[in-house]
Amino acid sequence: MSSSASSENIFRVADLRQNRPTPFELRPDAKTLSALADALELTSLRKVTFSGEIRAYGKSDWELVGKLGATVVQPCVVTLEPVTTRIDVPVERRFLAQMPDLGNEEDEEIEMPEDENAEPLETHIDVNAILHEALALNIPQFPRAEDAELKEAVFTESGKKAMTDEDARPFAGLAALRDQLGSKDDE
C-alpha cells in the first residue's frame, strides 16, 4: 500500500482485527511532501517512508510499531547554507482505552506517565498525523554545516564600547582576584 496523505491511512479502530496486525506503508507524493516541508519550515523534504503495523495490545488497547525514514534539508543556523540530514528512526505509539490517572488539575505537581508513547484511544488511528509528529520530533533543532563556527558578535551604538561575553561574566574577574590572593597567602 503506497499513498499520499489520504483517508486510507486513517484506520477506524472498530475495523481493526484483534488477531492479526494491520500493515501500513506511506510514501507521500510531491505535493504532500511540499506541504509538510512548509509546515515544518524545511528547505526541502524527500525520500519519506513510514511503514509498520497496527496490532492489538492487550484486550482493548492498540499499538503502532513502525519505522520512519526521511531526508530533510534545512538552513544552517550559522551560515544559512543548506544542511542535509537523513533520519531513520523507530516509531512506537500505544493507544490506551484507559489512560493512567496522573492526578487532578488542583494538584501542584503533575506526574508524568511512565510510557511516553501512550495516547488515549479514540475512534480512529491517523497514521498521517503520526508521521507528521514523528518527523517534527526528529528533525535537527539547530542544523549546522560542516566547518561552520559561531564566532562572537558584538553590537552597539556608534562611539560606544560594545559589551562582550567576557564583560557579561562579572564573577570571572572575582575568581581571578581570589586565585591571585590565594597564591599570595601560600608564599
Side-chain angles (χ1 to χ4, degrees):
M1 178 190 328
S2 177
S3 68
S4 63
S6 67
S7 61
E8 67 187 54
N9 297 313
I10 300 174
F11 296 89
R12 190 170 160 241
V13 173
D15 295 339
L16 295 172
R17 296 184 184 206
Q18 193 77 18
N19 60 351
R20 180 173 62 185
T22 302
F24 64 87
E25 183 174 353
L26 277 72
R27 294 182 187 273
D29 60 22
K31 182 179 176 184
T32 304
L33 288 177
S34 178
L36 191 52
D38 288 345
L40 296 173
E41 298 177 359
L42 301 171
T43 305
S44 74
L45 178 62
R46 57 184 187 266
K47 298 180 185 174
V48 176
T49 305
F50 184 40
S51 61
E53 61 186 25
I54 301 169
R55 57 186 177 220
Y57 184 75
K59 291 185 179 185
S60 58
D61 302 328
W62 295 90
E63 177 179 53
L64 177 144
V65 178
K67 182 170 181 174
L68 170 66
T71 301
V72 298
V73 180
Q74 302 169 270
C76 170
V77 294
V78 177
T79 65
L80 299 180
E81 294 296 318
V83 177
T84 302
T85 306
R86 180 68 192 165
I87 297 170
D88 286 300
V89 293
V91 177
E92 291 183 25
R93 296 289 185 279
R94 273 171 280 299
F95 302 93
L96 307 178
Q98 293 293 318
M99 289 293 289
D101 183 24
L102 303 176
N104 61 37
E105 293 177 16
E106 295 175 12
D107 290 341
E108 287 184 26
E109 293 182 20
I110 297 176
E111 192 174 320
M112 294 301 292
E114 287 183 28
D115 185 355
E116 63 186 22
N117 295 317
E119 297 183 18
L121 179 64
E122 297 181 6
T123 58
H124 292 78
I125 295 175
D126 186 348
V127 178
N128 298 312
I130 296 168
L131 161 66
H132 187 123
E133 177 185 85
L135 188 58
L137 289 171
N138 287 286
I139 58 175
Q141 289 185 343
F142 304 103
R144 191 175 283 198
E146 234 177 89
D147 301 328
E149 287 187 39
L150 187 59
K151 297 187 168 98
E152 182 179 34
V154 290
F155 304 95
T156 189
E157 297 176 29
S158 296
K160 292 192 176 180
K161 182 180 182 264
M163 183 173 172
T164 64
D165 287 343
E166 198 58 41
D167 296 334
R169 297 185 202 139
F171 296 111
L174 289 175
L177 182 60
R178 179 197 67 212
D179 293 343
Q180 278 183 338
L181 291 174
S183 66
K184 286 183 180 179
D185 290 340
D186 293 338
E187 294 175 2

